[in-house]
Amino acid sequence: MMTNGFAERLRVAISNAGTIQKLAERAEVAPRTISGYLVGKGDPSRVRLVALAHAGQVSVEWLATGRGVLDSHDSNANDTLRSFAIIPQLDPDAVSDELGEEIVRAGPIAIRRDWLEARGLCGQDMRLITAHGDSMQPTISDGDLVLIDTSVRELRNDGLYAIKAYGRARFRRLQQDIRGGVWVISDAPHYEDEHLGPAEADELRIVGRATRISRDV
């Protein structure tokens, strides 16, 4: 079994290759299989591990165990990885209902672990989505990068969430009423709020709880 942190080390290999699809092609592994490794669905065989390491331009030992160095040119890689969590960016038009099946865009972003931990967030649960439109202004503007806690897949408390609606991830403020319904609220005043009855609220597809990214991460 791979040691703790394997998914984050695998994300570094994905970043080096550019996308999951490119890493999969180079390693001759199905993209769905790599997505499964990211969420703990099995471990790669020794042959597949070597292929992934070579395709992602990292050392086999580092990818499997976190020991040694990332590659022969970067002796500080482990220190960097311990300080930062590697967070993948998702395509908002291709967010899946199941983690690990999402479409990951090129270029994951490193976010300081201490910043995440101070907010009670775990790096392996985090995803990033770029906001589109002006429905949540001034809270979230078009083009803002928003951090999503995917461990929250149901409405726990009133707050800001990413929801899947009309095939796309969208940001809304959710507020539960005493009858079991949910208000879906846009912060921009020129958008009308929408109320979902209890049956409709049960069908609400929550991607995760949202946190704006500040400049000090």
mmCIF file of all heavy atoms in Angstrom, residues 158-194:
data_model
loop_
_atom_site.group_PDB
_atom_site.id
_atom_site.type_symbol
_atom_site.label_atom_id
_atom_site.label_comp_id
_atom_site.label_asym_id
_atom_site.label_seq_id
_atom_site.Cartn_x
_atom_site.Cartn_y
_atom_site.Cartn_z
ATOM 1 N N ASP A 158 -25.868 27.059 7.132
ATOM 2 C CA ASP A 158 -26.039 28.105 6.135
ATOM 3 C C ASP A 158 -24.666 28.640 5.742
ATOM 4 O O ASP A 158 -23.763 28.782 6.570
ATOM 5 C CB ASP A 158 -26.878 29.250 6.700
ATOM 6 C CG ASP A 158 -28.289 28.802 7.051
ATOM 7 O OD1 ASP A 158 -28.669 27.687 6.672
ATOM 8 O OD2 ASP A 158 -28.993 29.585 7.711
ATOM 9 N N GLY A 159 -24.477 28.929 4.466
ATOM 10 C CA GLY A 159 -23.192 29.454 4.034
ATOM 11 C C GLY A 159 -23.030 29.403 2.531
ATOM 12 O O GLY A 159 -23.995 29.179 1.779
ATOM 13 N N LEU A 160 -21.802 29.615 2.091
ATOM 14 C CA LEU A 160 -21.471 29.687 0.675
ATOM 15 C C LEU A 160 -21.063 28.308 0.169
ATOM 16 O O LEU A 160 -20.179 27.669 0.742
ATOM 17 C CB LEU A 160 -20.331 30.686 0.472
ATOM 18 C CG LEU A 160 -19.952 31.068 -0.950
ATOM 19 C CD1 LEU A 160 -21.116 31.739 -1.662
ATOM 20 C CD2 LEU A 160 -18.746 31.997 -0.924
ATOM 21 N N TYR A 161 -21.710 27.865 -0.906
ATOM 22 C CA TYR A 161 -21.469 26.527 -1.436
ATOM 23 C C TYR A 161 -21.272 26.587 -2.956
ATOM 24 O O TYR A 161 -21.729 27.517 -3.620
ATOM 25 C CB TYR A 161 -22.642 25.597 -1.145
ATOM 26 C CG TYR A 161 -22.778 25.192 0.309
ATOM 27 C CD1 TYR A 161 -23.420 26.037 1.216
ATOM 28 C CD2 TYR A 161 -22.272 23.988 0.767
ATOM 29 C CE1 TYR A 161 -23.552 25.674 2.550
ATOM 30 C CE2 TYR A 161 -22.404 23.619 2.102
ATOM 31 C CZ TYR A 161 -23.041 24.462 2.986
ATOM 32 O OH TYR A 161 -23.161 24.106 4.308
ATOM 33 N N ALA A 162 -20.598 25.553 -3.468
ATOM 34 C CA ALA A 162 -20.604 25.294 -4.904
ATOM 35 C C ALA A 162 -21.653 24.222 -5.152
ATOM 36 O O ALA A 162 -21.649 23.175 -4.488
ATOM 37 C CB ALA A 162 -19.239 24.815 -5.381
ATOM 38 N N ILE A 163 -22.574 24.485 -6.074
ATOM 39 C CA ILE A 163 -23.611 23.517 -6.407
ATOM 40 C C ILE A 163 -23.527 23.205 -7.897
ATOM 41 O O ILE A 163 -23.008 24.003 -8.682
ATOM 42 C CB ILE A 163 -25.017 24.031 -6.052
ATOM 43 C CG1 ILE A 163 -25.349 25.302 -6.855
ATOM 44 C CG2 ILE A 163 -25.128 24.280 -4.552
ATOM 45 C CD1 ILE A 163 -26.785 25.783 -6.654
ATOM 46 N N LYS A 164 -24.007 22.039 -8.275
ATOM 47 C CA LYS A 164 -24.051 21.680 -9.688
ATOM 48 C C LYS A 164 -25.460 21.944 -10.203
ATOM 49 O O LYS A 164 -26.434 21.363 -9.724
ATOM 50 C CB LYS A 164 -23.688 20.213 -9.885
ATOM 51 C CG LYS A 164 -23.558 19.815 -11.349
ATOM 52 C CD LYS A 164 -23.057 18.391 -11.492
ATOM 53 C CE LYS A 164 -22.933 17.998 -12.956
ATOM 54 N NZ LYS A 164 -22.461 16.600 -13.108
ATOM 55 N N ALA A 165 -25.559 22.866 -11.164
ATOM 56 C CA ALA A 165 -26.852 23.232 -11.730
ATOM 57 C C ALA A 165 -26.695 23.470 -13.220
ATOM 58 O O ALA A 165 -25.772 24.162 -13.649
ATOM 59 C CB ALA A 165 -27.402 24.482 -11.047
ATOM 60 N N TYR A 166 -27.584 22.864 -14.000
ATOM 61 C CA TYR A 166 -27.544 23.005 -15.453
ATOM 62 C C TYR A 166 -26.172 22.609 -16.004
ATOM 63 O O TYR A 166 -25.641 23.241 -16.918
ATOM 64 C CB TYR A 166 -27.919 24.430 -15.870
ATOM 65 C CG TYR A 166 -29.240 24.896 -15.326
ATOM 66 C CD1 TYR A 166 -29.292 25.820 -14.280
ATOM 67 C CD2 TYR A 166 -30.440 24.391 -15.837
ATOM 68 C CE1 TYR A 166 -30.511 26.232 -13.761
ATOM 69 C CE2 TYR A 166 -31.662 24.808 -15.310
ATOM 70 C CZ TYR A 166 -31.689 25.723 -14.285
ATOM 71 O OH TYR A 166 -32.897 26.136 -13.758
ATOM 72 N N GLY A 167 -25.605 21.545 -15.432
ATOM 73 C CA GLY A 167 -24.369 20.987 -15.947
ATOM 74 C C GLY A 167 -23.100 21.709 -15.571
ATOM 75 O O GLY A 167 -22.021 21.361 -16.051
ATOM 76 N N ARG A 168 -23.184 22.712 -14.688
ATOM 77 C CA ARG A 168 -22.003 23.514 -14.354
ATOM 78 C C ARG A 168 -21.952 23.755 -12.854
ATOM 79 O O ARG A 168 -22.978 23.803 -12.181
ATOM 80 C CB ARG A 168 -22.069 24.857 -15.102
ATOM 81 C CG ARG A 168 -21.152 25.931 -14.578
ATOM 82 C CD ARG A 168 -21.343 27.217 -15.367
ATOM 83 N NE ARG A 168 -20.606 27.172 -16.614
ATOM 84 C CZ ARG A 168 -19.518 27.882 -16.857
ATOM 85 N NH1 ARG A 168 -19.030 28.688 -15.949
ATOM 86 N NH2 ARG A 168 -18.912 27.806 -18.016
ATOM 87 N N ALA A 169 -20.738 23.904 -12.338
ATOM 88 C CA ALA A 169 -20.574 24.279 -10.936
ATOM 89 C C ALA A 169 -20.838 25.773 -10.801
ATOM 90 O O ALA A 169 -20.264 26.586 -11.520
ATOM 91 C CB ALA A 169 -19.163 23.948 -10.464
ATOM 92 N N ARG A 170 -21.725 26.121 -9.867
ATOM 93 C CA ARG A 170 -22.096 27.517 -9.633
ATOM 94 C C ARG A 170 -22.031 27.805 -8.135
ATOM 95 O O ARG A 170 -22.248 26.901 -7.319
ATOM 96 C CB ARG A 170 -23.517 27.799 -10.156
ATOM 97 C CG ARG A 170 -23.682 27.485 -11.640
ATOM 98 C CD ARG A 170 -25.140 27.512 -12.063
ATOM 99 N NE ARG A 170 -25.293 27.002 -13.420
ATOM 100 C CZ ARG A 170 -25.202 27.740 -14.507
ATOM 101 N NH1 ARG A 170 -24.977 29.039 -14.402
ATOM 102 N NH2 ARG A 170 -25.345 27.208 -15.716
ATOM 103 N N PHE A 171 -21.743 29.050 -7.802
ATOM 104 C CA PHE A 171 -21.637 29.428 -6.398
ATOM 105 C C PHE A 171 -22.908 30.140 -5.957
ATOM 106 O O PHE A 171 -23.385 31.058 -6.619
ATOM 107 C CB PHE A 171 -20.424 30.332 -6.183
ATOM 108 C CG PHE A 171 -19.133 29.651 -6.537
ATOM 109 C CD1 PHE A 171 -18.476 29.939 -7.723
ATOM 110 C CD2 PHE A 171 -18.590 28.695 -5.688
ATOM 111 C CE1 PHE A 171 -17.297 29.292 -8.060
ATOM 112 C CE2 PHE A 171 -17.409 28.044 -6.013
ATOM 113 C CZ PHE A 171 -16.765 28.348 -7.203
ATOM 114 N N ARG A 172 -23.436 29.681 -4.816
ATOM 115 C CA ARG A 172 -24.624 30.299 -4.244
ATOM 116 C C ARG A 172 -24.545 30.222 -2.716
ATOM 117 O O ARG A 172 -23.896 29.343 -2.147
ATOM 118 C CB ARG A 172 -25.907 29.594 -4.710
ATOM 119 C CG ARG A 172 -26.237 29.756 -6.190
ATOM 120 C CD ARG A 172 -26.578 31.170 -6.560
ATOM 121 N NE ARG A 172 -27.051 31.269 -7.929
ATOM 122 C CZ ARG A 172 -26.270 31.425 -8.992
ATOM 123 N NH1 ARG A 172 -24.947 31.497 -8.819
ATOM 124 N NH2 ARG A 172 -26.787 31.513 -10.200
ATOM 125 N N ARG A 173 -25.263 31.120 -2.077
ATOM 126 C CA ARG A 173 -25.408 31.074 -0.632
ATOM 127 C C ARG A 173 -26.662 30.256 -0.319
ATOM 128 O O ARG A 173 -27.731 30.525 -0.860
ATOM 129 C CB ARG A 173 -25.544 32.503 -0.083
ATOM 130 C CG ARG A 173 -25.241 32.630 1.395
ATOM 131 C CD ARG A 173 -25.206 34.085 1.801
ATOM 132 N NE ARG A 173 -24.140 34.816 1.110
ATOM 133 C CZ ARG A 173 -22.863 34.779 1.457
ATOM 134 N NH1 ARG A 173 -22.486 34.042 2.487
ATOM 135 N NH2 ARG A 173 -21.972 35.480 0.794
ATOM 136 N N LEU A 174 -26.515 29.221 0.505
ATOM 137 C CA LEU A 174 -27.634 28.341 0.825
ATOM 138 C C LEU A 174 -28.102 28.588 2.251
ATOM 139 O O LEU A 174 -27.280 28.701 3.173
ATOM 140 C CB LEU A 174 -27.228 26.876 0.664
ATOM 141 C CG LEU A 174 -26.725 26.449 -0.723
ATOM 142 C CD1 LEU A 174 -26.411 24.960 -0.727
ATOM 143 C CD2 LEU A 174 -27.727 26.797 -1.813
ATOM 144 N N GLN A 175 -29.419 28.663 2.418
ATOM 145 C CA GLN A 175 -30.004 28.909 3.739
ATOM 146 C C GLN A 175 -31.214 27.995 3.915
ATOM 147 O O GLN A 175 -32.164 28.051 3.145
ATOM 148 C CB GLN A 175 -30.420 30.375 3.866
ATOM 149 C CG GLN A 175 -31.018 30.739 5.209
ATOM 150 C CD GLN A 175 -31.344 32.220 5.284
ATOM 151 O OE1 GLN A 175 -30.647 33.059 4.738
ATOM 152 N NE2 GLN A 175 -32.428 32.538 5.973
ATOM 153 N N GLN A 176 -31.153 27.140 4.929
ATOM 154 C CA GLN A 176 -32.233 26.189 5.157
ATOM 155 C C GLN A 176 -33.358 26.836 5.961
ATOM 156 O O GLN A 176 -33.102 27.591 6.905
ATOM 157 C CB GLN A 176 -31.693 24.980 5.918
ATOM 158 C CG GLN A 176 -32.599 23.761 5.874
ATOM 159 C CD GLN A 176 -31.871 22.510 6.314
ATOM 160 O OE1 GLN A 176 -30.942 22.577 7.105
ATOM 161 N NE2 GLN A 176 -32.287 21.366 5.795
ATOM 162 N N ASP A 177 -34.621 26.532 5.588
ATOM 163 C CA ASP A 177 -35.736 27.078 6.359
ATOM 164 C C ASP A 177 -36.276 26.026 7.329
ATOM 165 O O ASP A 177 -35.856 24.859 7.304
ATOM 166 C CB ASP A 177 -36.837 27.621 5.438
ATOM 167 C CG ASP A 177 -37.514 26.535 4.608
ATOM 168 O OD1 ASP A 177 -37.576 25.373 5.068
ATOM 169 O OD2 ASP A 177 -37.989 26.843 3.504
ATOM 170 N N ILE A 178 -37.186 26.414 8.191
ATOM 171 C CA ILE A 178 -37.637 25.521 9.261
ATOM 172 C C ILE A 178 -38.528 24.393 8.743
ATOM 173 O O ILE A 178 -38.800 23.433 9.469
ATOM 174 C CB ILE A 178 -38.380 26.313 10.358
ATOM 175 C CG1 ILE A 178 -39.603 27.024 9.779
ATOM 176 C CG2 ILE A 178 -37.436 27.300 11.025
ATOM 177 C CD1 ILE A 178 -40.437 27.719 10.851
ATOM 178 N N ARG A 179 -38.978 24.473 7.501
ATOM 179 C CA ARG A 179 -39.829 23.432 6.927
ATOM 180 C C ARG A 179 -39.039 22.417 6.110
ATOM 181 O O ARG A 179 -39.617 21.544 5.476
ATOM 182 C CB ARG A 179 -40.915 24.073 6.057
ATOM 183 C CG ARG A 179 -41.883 24.960 6.829
ATOM 184 C CD ARG A 179 -42.945 25.536 5.918
ATOM 185 N NE ARG A 179 -43.879 26.371 6.647
ATOM 186 C CZ ARG A 179 -43.695 27.645 6.913
ATOM 187 N NH1 ARG A 179 -42.571 28.248 6.503
ATOM 188 N NH2 ARG A 179 -44.596 28.340 7.584
ATOM 189 N N GLY A 180 -37.714 22.558 6.096
ATOM 190 C CA GLY A 180 -36.896 21.607 5.345
ATOM 191 C C GLY A 180 -36.570 22.042 3.937
ATOM 192 O O GLY A 180 -35.903 21.316 3.198
ATOM 193 N N GLY A 181 -37.046 23.223 3.551
ATOM 194 C CA GLY A 181 -36.688 23.758 2.244
ATOM 195 C C GLY A 181 -35.380 24.522 2.314
ATOM 196 O O GLY A 181 -34.774 24.671 3.377
ATOM 197 N N VAL A 182 -34.935 24.994 1.166
ATOM 198 C CA VAL A 182 -33.657 25.710 1.084
ATOM 199 C C VAL A 182 -33.817 26.950 0.205
ATOM 200 O O VAL A 182 -34.390 26.878 -0.888
ATOM 201 C CB VAL A 182 -32.540 24.809 0.499
ATOM 202 C CG1 VAL A 182 -31.256 25.614 0.259
ATOM 203 C CG2 VAL A 182 -32.256 23.636 1.420
ATOM 204 N N TRP A 183 -33.327 28.074 0.702
ATOM 205 C CA TRP A 183 -33.216 29.280 -0.117
ATOM 206 C C TRP A 183 -31.859 29.249 -0.829
ATOM 207 O O TRP A 183 -30.825 29.024 -0.199
ATOM 208 C CB TRP A 183 -33.317 30.530 0.738
ATOM 209 C CG TRP A 183 -34.721 30.866 1.132
ATOM 210 C CD1 TRP A 183 -35.339 30.580 2.312
ATOM 211 C CD2 TRP A 183 -35.674 31.542 0.319
ATOM 212 N NE1 TRP A 183 -36.631 31.035 2.298
ATOM 213 C CE2 TRP A 183 -36.873 31.634 1.078
ATOM 214 C CE3 TRP A 183 -35.655 32.084 -0.968
ATOM 215 C CZ2 TRP A 183 -38.020 32.235 0.595
ATOM 216 C CZ3 TRP A 183 -36.805 32.695 -1.457
ATOM 217 C CH2 TRP A 183 -37.968 32.768 -0.686
ATOM 218 N N VAL A 184 -31.890 29.460 -2.141
ATOM 219 C CA VAL A 184 -30.678 29.540 -2.953
ATOM 220 C C VAL A 184 -30.491 31.019 -3.300
ATOM 221 O O VAL A 184 -31.254 31.588 -4.081
ATOM 222 C CB VAL A 184 -30.804 28.686 -4.231
ATOM 223 C CG1 VAL A 184 -29.521 28.745 -5.043
ATOM 224 C CG2 VAL A 184 -31.131 27.235 -3.860
ATOM 225 N N ILE A 185 -29.466 31.622 -2.710
ATOM 226 C CA ILE A 185 -29.360 33.088 -2.692
ATOM 227 C C ILE A 185 -28.151 33.558 -3.500
ATOM 228 O O ILE A 185 -27.036 33.049 -3.345
ATOM 229 C CB ILE A 185 -29.224 33.585 -1.236
ATOM 230 C CG1 ILE A 185 -30.449 33.133 -0.422
ATOM 231 C CG2 ILE A 185 -29.063 35.100 -1.183
ATOM 232 C CD1 ILE A 185 -30.289 33.333 1.070
ATOM 233 N N SER A 186 -28.396 34.541 -4.359
ATOM 234 C CA SER A 186 -27.322 35.239 -5.071
ATOM 235 C C SER A 186 -27.034 36.541 -4.342
ATOM 236 O O SER A 186 -27.963 37.242 -3.928
ATOM 237 C CB SER A 186 -27.732 35.528 -6.517
ATOM 238 O OG SER A 186 -28.000 34.325 -7.219
ATOM 239 N N ASP A 187 -25.753 36.880 -4.190
ATOM 240 C CA ASP A 187 -25.408 38.104 -3.477
ATOM 241 C C ASP A 187 -25.660 39.354 -4.307
ATOM 242 O O ASP A 187 -25.908 40.424 -3.762
ATOM 243 C CB ASP A 187 -23.934 38.061 -3.042
ATOM 244 C CG ASP A 187 -23.729 37.138 -1.840
ATOM 245 O OD1 ASP A 187 -24.715 36.548 -1.366
ATOM 246 O OD2 ASP A 187 -22.580 36.999 -1.382
ATOM 247 N N ALA A 188 -25.598 39.225 -5.631
ATOM 248 C CA ALA A 188 -25.847 40.383 -6.492
ATOM 249 C C ALA A 188 -27.335 40.753 -6.428
ATOM 250 O O ALA A 188 -28.196 39.880 -6.615
ATOM 251 C CB ALA A 188 -25.442 40.078 -7.926
ATOM 252 N N PRO A 189 -27.668 42.009 -6.155
ATOM 253 C CA PRO A 189 -29.064 42.394 -5.932
ATOM 254 C C PRO A 189 -29.963 42.250 -7.150
ATOM 255 O O PRO A 189 -31.189 42.148 -7.003
ATOM 256 C CB PRO A 189 -28.953 43.862 -5.494
ATOM 257 C CG PRO A 189 -27.641 44.339 -6.030
ATOM 258 C CD PRO A 189 -26.740 43.152 -5.980
ATOM 259 N N HIS A 190 -29.407 42.241 -8.360
ATOM 260 C CA HIS A 190 -30.263 42.154 -9.542
ATOM 261 C C HIS A 190 -30.619 40.711 -9.904
ATOM 262 O O HIS A 190 -31.276 40.471 -10.921
ATOM 263 C CB HIS A 190 -29.596 42.845 -10.738
ATOM 264 C CG HIS A 190 -28.216 42.351 -11.063
ATOM 265 N ND1 HIS A 190 -27.113 42.724 -10.335
ATOM 266 C CD2 HIS A 190 -27.774 41.521 -12.043
ATOM 267 C CE1 HIS A 190 -26.034 42.149 -10.842
ATOM 268 N NE2 HIS A 190 -26.410 41.413 -11.868
ATOM 269 N N TYR A 191 -30.195 39.740 -9.070
ATOM 270 C CA TYR A 191 -30.607 38.349 -9.255
ATOM 271 C C TYR A 191 -31.664 37.998 -8.216
ATOM 272 O O TYR A 191 -31.553 38.378 -7.054
ATOM 273 C CB TYR A 191 -29.416 37.389 -9.081
ATOM 274 C CG TYR A 191 -28.510 37.312 -10.276
ATOM 275 C CD1 TYR A 191 -27.555 38.299 -10.524
ATOM 276 C CD2 TYR A 191 -28.597 36.242 -11.170
ATOM 277 C CE1 TYR A 191 -26.716 38.223 -11.617
ATOM 278 C CE2 TYR A 191 -27.753 36.150 -12.261
ATOM 279 C CZ TYR A 191 -26.821 37.148 -12.488
ATOM 280 O OH TYR A 191 -25.993 37.070 -13.568
ATOM 281 N N GLU A 192 -32.677 37.255 -8.628
ATOM 282 C CA GLU A 192 -33.714 36.841 -7.710
ATOM 283 C C GLU A 192 -33.295 35.577 -6.970
ATOM 284 O O GLU A 192 -32.716 34.670 -7.553
ATOM 285 C CB GLU A 192 -35.031 36.583 -8.455
ATOM 286 C CG GLU A 192 -35.684 37.839 -9.024
ATOM 287 C CD GLU A 192 -37.059 37.535 -9.600
ATOM 288 O OE1 GLU A 192 -37.509 36.378 -9.480
ATOM 289 O OE2 GLU A 192 -37.667 38.466 -10.155
ATOM 290 N N ASP A 193 -33.606 35.536 -5.670
ATOM 291 C CA ASP A 193 -33.352 34.327 -4.897
ATOM 292 C C ASP A 193 -34.373 33.256 -5.285
ATOM 293 O O ASP A 193 -35.484 33.564 -5.734
ATOM 294 C CB ASP A 193 -33.438 34.614 -3.403
ATOM 295 C CG ASP A 193 -32.412 35.654 -2.950
ATOM 296 O OD1 ASP A 193 -31.375 35.783 -3.642
ATOM 297 O OD2 ASP A 193 -32.647 36.327 -1.931
ATOM 298 N N GLU A 194 -33.997 32.012 -5.093
ATOM 299 C CA GLU A 194 -34.878 30.901 -5.462
ATOM 300 C C GLU A 194 -35.122 30.035 -4.232
ATOM 301 O O GLU A 194 -34.196 29.739 -3.476
ATOM 302 C CB GLU A 194 -34.232 30.064 -6.566
ATOM 303 C CG GLU A 194 -35.095 28.917 -7.057
ATOM 304 C CD GLU A 194 -34.446 28.143 -8.197
ATOM 305 O OE1 GLU A 194 -33.329 28.519 -8.593
ATOM 306 O OE2 GLU A 194 -35.054 27.161 -8.665
#
